[in-house]
Amino acid sequence: MTGVTIENLRKEYGSIVATNDVSLDIADGELAVLVGPSGCGKTTTLRSIAGLETPTDGTIAFGDADVTNDPPQDRDISMVFQNLALYPHMTTFDNIAFPLQAENNASEAEIREAVESIARDLDCEDFLDQRVVELSGGQQQRVALARALVREPEVFLMDEPFSDLDELLKRKLRSEVVRLQHEREITMVHVTHDQEEAITMGDRLVVMNGGDVVQMGDPDTVFNEPAELFVAQFIGSPQINRFDCTLERTSGETTLRNGDLDFSLSDDLAASLDGAGGEEIALCVRPQHFSWAERAPENESDGNGSDGDGSNGELSVPVTVEVIEKIGTEDVVRCRGPNGSEVLAVVASGTLDEGAEGYLRAEGANAHLFDGYDEHAERLN
Amino acid sequence: MAAADRTSAVSLLGKGFLLVYALFAAFPIYWTLNTALKPLGSINTFPPTLYPESLDLSSFTWVLMNSRAAGSIIDSLIIASGTTVLSVLLGSLAGYAFSRYGDAVGGEDVSFWLLSTRMFPPIAIVLPMFFVFGWFNLQDTHLGLIILYLTFNLPLTTWLMRDFFDKIPYSFEEAAYVDGYSPFAAFRKVVFPLVRPGLIATTMLAWVFAWNEFIFAFIIAGNDVAPYTTIIPTLVLSNQILWNRIMAMAVVVTIPPTLILIAFRRHIVEGMTLGVTEL
C-alpha cells in the first residue's frame, strides 16, 4: 500500500476541460472520497489515477514513484467500475480469479484459496459456480468488489459502484467496504455524487466542482466549515438555508439585511466580515441548527444589546410551517419565511403542526458567512 | 371454460396454419429432389408424377463425377472460403477500430460510406470491372473473384462487426487492463469470447453471399475457374433443358450451407438478433 499524490492534474478533451488544476494528496491507508455533481471532474481524476486517461498536464505519483505515463497494467491498482464490468461469459469464480491469472505465476491451488477466502469475506461463496448474469444486483456488486480485492493492490479505486442499488443494500455494502478498508489498511479512492455516501464513508472528502478541488478535509470539517458557498450547499441533507444579505454597519452594530429580515451579528461574526469584498454576504444556516420558538427572542424587546456580546449572537427568523416531512425520529419542516423564501428546519418528530407560526432560532456560532452570492464565494467566518 | 376452449382452438388453428405453411415451403425442395431423380424423358410428362417412377441417379453421378461440374463446386468452395476468411478477418479488425476509436477513423461518416457501397446496384459496374480485371490479369482466376467479392463482403462484415463490438462495453477491456492484462490478452480473454456469436453469424453471411453470387462470376470467370453458378445456365441447351442435372446440382450445392447452418444455428440466431449473449 502506498499514498497517492496528484499535482496540477489537467485533462482536456478537445475544447472541454474535464479537470482544470487538481492537486491532492491521499495518505497511505486512507479512504478518500471524491465527491461532486456530474461533470465536476471526479471520474476523470479517478481514471487518471488508474491510468485509463493520460493527463494533458500534471503528475501522478504512487508513493515516490511517478506513474503519470505508466499504462494501467504497470500500476498496481484495482478498480470497481460504475457498470461493474463483470464478464458475462464467466462464472463468479472465474471473474474473481481473473486478476490473479494475468501473470501466469500463481498455481491453481493458490488461486482457488485466494478466491475462496475473499468470497467468504464478501458472502459470495454460495454462487461461485453460477454465471454472473444469473445473479441479483447486490450479488453482482459483491462479486465486483471481490474481484477488486482478491489481490492486494497499492491503490484501490471505486467509480460510483453503488449508484444503482437500493437504499438498504447500498448502506450494507458501504459499511462492508469501510470495514474491509480498515482491516486491510487499503489506500482507497472512492468516487460518488452522493454527498451522504461521501460523509458516511470517507476518512477524507475531496469536494470537486467545475474541474477543480474546492475543499479537502475530514467529513466534520467539510460539514461544519465549508470553504465555499458551493460546498455549503452541496454537502448536507436537507440542503442548507441560504439568505442573501446586504451588509449594513451602523454605530458599532453590524447587521445583515435580507429584505424585511435583519440579522444582528455578534462581535465575533462582525469581525469576520472585515475581509469581505463587498456588501453582498450570503448567510447560511443548516436546518439541523435551527430550533423552534413560539415567541420572538427577548433581545429584540431588550432593544440594544450594546454589551460586548452584540445581540447575544442569536439569529431568528419568523416563519409559518407549511409542510412537514417525516424522516423517522425527526421531522423536516418546510417553512415560509418573511420574504416568501423557504426555510428548512429539522426538529424532533411531532413537535410542530402545519400552519404553526413562530420563530426559527440558531446560535450565531452556527452561521456560515460567505463573501458574495455565487458558488465560489469564500467562507468568511 | 369457454376461454380455455377458445385458447385451444386458436392454438390448434395456429398449428394447422404452420403445417400448411411448412408443406408450402418444403414443396420446392421436394420437387427439386423429385425432378433430380427422374430420367430426363419422364420430367415433362403430363400429369407430372409425384415421385420418380424409375429412379435415375445419373444426374447426381454427373454432378459429382463430371470434371466440369464437380470442379465448379470446388472452385466455388475455394472462392467463397477465401473471400470469407479475408473479409471476416479484415472486417473484424476494422469493425473493432470503428467501435473503439470511431472518431479517430472518420466516425459515422466513413462507416456510412462503407455501408453505402452496399446500396450501389452491382450490375452497373460489371462492365468496367471486366476491363479493370483484364488489365491486372485477374480474369478467370480464384484470386480475382476472391478480391471482387471482398469489395462486397468487407463493408458488410465491417458494419456488422462494429455493431457486435459496440455491444461489449469498453469498460470490460479497461477492467482487464487494470487487472494487469495487455490489450491483446484482454481481447483474447474478454472481447473475443463475447463477440464469437456475432463473428459466426457474420462469417455465415459473408460465405453465403460469395457462394451464391452469379453476375460477377459469370463475367469474370472463364474456362479455368468457373463457380457452380455459372455452370447451371450452360445446362439450358438450344433444343432442351437438362432439368435433372440442374436440379441435382441445386441439391448438391444446398448441402454445404445447410450443414453449416445446422452446426451453428444457435450462434446464428443469437448473432442475427444482435443479442450478443446477455450482457
Side-chain angles (χ1 to χ4, degrees), chain A residues 9-12 48 53-60 68-69 75:
Chain A
L9 176 74
R10 185 179 177 83
K11 176 67 185 176
E12 298 167 6
S48 301
E53 304 289 347
T54 314
T56 310
D57 203 8
T59 58
I60 299 166
T68 312
N69 294 312
R75 306 184 185 196

Short mmCIF file of all heavy atoms in Angstrom, two decimals, chain A residues 9-12 48 53-60 68-69 75:
data_model
loop_
_atom_site.label_atom_id
_atom_site.label_comp_id
_atom_site.label_asym_id
_atom_site.label_seq_id
_atom_site.Cartn_x
_atom_site.Cartn_y
_atom_site.Cartn_z
N LEU A 9 -3.10 18.31 -11.91
CA LEU A 9 -3.66 17.47 -12.98
C LEU A 9 -4.63 18.28 -13.84
O LEU A 9 -5.55 18.91 -13.35
CB LEU A 9 -4.41 16.28 -12.38
CG LEU A 9 -5.12 15.38 -13.38
CD1 LEU A 9 -4.11 14.54 -14.14
CD2 LEU A 9 -6.12 14.48 -12.67
N ARG A 10 -4.37 18.23 -15.14
CA ARG A 10 -5.27 18.89 -16.09
C ARG A 10 -5.57 17.91 -17.19
O ARG A 10 -4.69 17.23 -17.69
CB ARG A 10 -4.60 20.14 -16.66
CG ARG A 10 -5.51 20.94 -17.57
CD ARG A 10 -4.80 22.18 -18.09
NE ARG A 10 -5.63 22.92 -19.02
CZ ARG A 10 -6.58 23.79 -18.68
NH1 ARG A 10 -6.81 24.04 -17.42
NH2 ARG A 10 -7.29 24.41 -19.60
N LYS A 11 -6.85 17.78 -17.55
CA LYS A 11 -7.22 16.89 -18.63
C LYS A 11 -8.21 17.59 -19.53
O LYS A 11 -9.25 18.06 -19.07
CB LYS A 11 -7.85 15.60 -18.06
CG LYS A 11 -8.36 14.65 -19.11
CD LYS A 11 -7.25 14.04 -19.95
CE LYS A 11 -7.81 13.18 -21.06
NZ LYS A 11 -6.76 12.66 -21.95
N GLU A 12 -7.85 17.68 -20.80
CA GLU A 12 -8.75 18.30 -21.77
C GLU A 12 -9.17 17.25 -22.78
O GLU A 12 -8.39 16.42 -23.19
CB GLU A 12 -8.02 19.43 -22.52
CG GLU A 12 -7.57 20.56 -21.61
CD GLU A 12 -6.58 21.49 -22.33
OE1 GLU A 12 -6.36 21.30 -23.53
OE2 GLU A 12 -6.05 22.39 -21.65
N SER A 48 -7.63 8.94 -14.22
CA SER A 48 -6.23 9.31 -14.39
C SER A 48 -5.35 8.57 -13.39
O SER A 48 -4.24 8.15 -13.72
CB SER A 48 -6.04 10.82 -14.21
OG SER A 48 -6.84 11.52 -15.15
N GLU A 53 -6.79 7.33 -18.36
CA GLU A 53 -6.71 8.60 -19.07
C GLU A 53 -5.28 9.11 -18.94
O GLU A 53 -4.66 8.95 -17.90
CB GLU A 53 -7.65 9.65 -18.45
CG GLU A 53 -9.10 9.26 -18.36
CD GLU A 53 -9.80 9.21 -19.70
OE1 GLU A 53 -9.23 9.72 -20.70
OE2 GLU A 53 -10.90 8.63 -19.77
N THR A 54 -4.79 9.69 -20.01
CA THR A 54 -3.46 10.31 -19.95
C THR A 54 -3.66 11.79 -19.70
O THR A 54 -4.33 12.47 -20.48
CB THR A 54 -2.71 10.11 -21.27
OG1 THR A 54 -2.85 8.75 -21.65
CG2 THR A 54 -1.25 10.46 -21.13
N PRO A 55 -3.09 12.30 -18.62
CA PRO A 55 -3.30 13.71 -18.31
C PRO A 55 -2.72 14.62 -19.40
O PRO A 55 -1.71 14.29 -20.02
CB PRO A 55 -2.52 13.92 -17.01
CG PRO A 55 -2.27 12.56 -16.48
CD PRO A 55 -2.26 11.63 -17.63
N THR A 56 -3.39 15.73 -19.64
CA THR A 56 -2.85 16.74 -20.54
C THR A 56 -1.64 17.41 -19.88
O THR A 56 -0.67 17.75 -20.54
CB THR A 56 -3.93 17.81 -20.84
OG1 THR A 56 -5.13 17.13 -21.23
CG2 THR A 56 -3.50 18.73 -21.95
N ASP A 57 -1.75 17.56 -18.58
CA ASP A 57 -0.66 18.20 -17.84
C ASP A 57 -0.74 17.72 -16.40
O ASP A 57 -1.79 17.31 -15.93
CB ASP A 57 -0.83 19.72 -17.92
CG ASP A 57 0.49 20.43 -17.67
OD1 ASP A 57 1.52 19.74 -17.60
OD2 ASP A 57 0.47 21.66 -17.55
N GLY A 58 0.39 17.80 -15.69
CA GLY A 58 0.40 17.44 -14.29
C GLY A 58 1.01 16.06 -14.07
O GLY A 58 1.31 15.34 -15.02
N THR A 59 1.20 15.73 -12.79
CA THR A 59 1.83 14.45 -12.47
C THR A 59 1.02 13.68 -11.45
O THR A 59 0.28 14.26 -10.65
CB THR A 59 3.25 14.65 -11.88
OG1 THR A 59 3.13 15.47 -10.71
CG2 THR A 59 4.18 15.29 -12.89
N ILE A 60 1.17 12.36 -11.51
CA ILE A 60 0.54 11.47 -10.55
C ILE A 60 1.64 10.57 -10.00
O ILE A 60 2.41 10.01 -10.78
CB ILE A 60 -0.56 10.62 -11.21
CG1 ILE A 60 -1.66 11.52 -11.78
CG2 ILE A 60 -1.14 9.63 -10.21
CD1 ILE A 60 -2.60 10.81 -12.73
N THR A 68 2.79 8.84 -13.90
CA THR A 68 1.97 9.64 -14.83
C THR A 68 1.81 8.98 -16.19
O THR A 68 0.72 8.97 -16.76
CB THR A 68 2.58 11.04 -15.01
OG1 THR A 68 2.88 11.55 -13.72
CG2 THR A 68 1.62 11.97 -15.74
N ASN A 69 2.91 8.45 -16.72
CA ASN A 69 2.83 7.91 -18.08
C ASN A 69 2.78 6.39 -18.14
O ASN A 69 2.91 5.81 -19.21
CB ASN A 69 4.00 8.44 -18.90
CG ASN A 69 3.89 9.95 -19.08
OD1 ASN A 69 2.85 10.47 -19.45
ND2 ASN A 69 4.96 10.66 -18.76
N ARG A 75 0.54 -0.24 -13.27
CA ARG A 75 0.26 0.37 -11.97
C ARG A 75 -0.38 -0.71 -11.12
O ARG A 75 -1.22 -1.46 -11.59
CB ARG A 75 -0.72 1.54 -12.12
CG ARG A 75 -0.25 2.56 -13.11
CD ARG A 75 -1.20 3.74 -13.15
NE ARG A 75 -0.76 4.63 -14.22
CZ ARG A 75 -1.15 5.89 -14.34
NH1 ARG A 75 -2.00 6.39 -13.48
NH2 ARG A 75 -0.70 6.64 -15.32
#
